[in-house]
Amino acid sequence: MPGHNHGPQIRNGELYEKLRAEGNSKEKSARIANAEAAGTLDHPGGTLESRSKEQLYDEAKEIGIEGRSKMDKDALIDAIREH
């Protein structure tokens, strides 16, 4: 709902509400809204395929993907996209 105070955990409430209205989960909406507010939504590393396995692993760790240490590059890309 517009004007709703989501608290400090949601940094871009307007975008959060738009994403929720589109049917996105609370977690995904919060993650995207906060990334947009932080200026990190567009990753400077280019496409996922152009990044190294180490870069993908670091990103998977940052966003909390479990089992990442056993994943190859393609599995990391799929897990990041699905998260």
Side-chain angles (χ1 to χ4, degrees), residues 3 6 17 23-24 27 42 48 54 58 61 63 67-68 82:
H6 300 286
E17 289 299 333
N24 290 295
E27 180 183 333
D42 294 320
L48 292 175
E54 182 179 358
D58 290 343
K61 183 178 180 181
I63 59 178
R68 63 190 171 271
E82 292 173 6

Side-chain angles (χ1 to χ4, degrees), residues 6-42:
H6 300 286
Q9 70 274 18
I10 306 296
R11 296 187 183 104
N12 185 335
E14 185 176 323
L15 179 56
Y16 174 83
E17 289 299 333
K18 178 181 177 228
L19 293 165
R20 290 290 292 141
E22 291 173 359
N24 290 295
S25 70
K26 289 179 181 180
E27 180 183 333
K28 184 174 183 177
S29 298
R31 196 169 54 247
I32 292 170
N34 289 342
E36 174 69 25
T40 60
L41 190 57
D42 294 320

Side-chain angles (χ1 to χ4, degrees), residues 64-78:
I65 294 174
E66 295 185 20
R68 63 190 171 271
S69 63
K70 297 177 182 175
M71 295 181 185
D72 63 11
K73 184 175 178 175
D74 290 333
L76 285 166
I77 289 170
D78 290 342

Side-chain angles (χ1 to χ4, degrees), residues 35-64:
E36 174 69 25
T40 60
L41 190 57
D42 294 320
H43 197 282
T47 65
L48 292 175
E49 289 79 11
S50 69
R51 297 185 210 161
S52 70
K53 181 180 177 186
E54 182 179 358
Q55 290 170 318
L56 293 167
Y57 178 87
D58 290 343
E59 183 165 344
K61 183 178 180 181
E62 185 178 320
I63 59 178

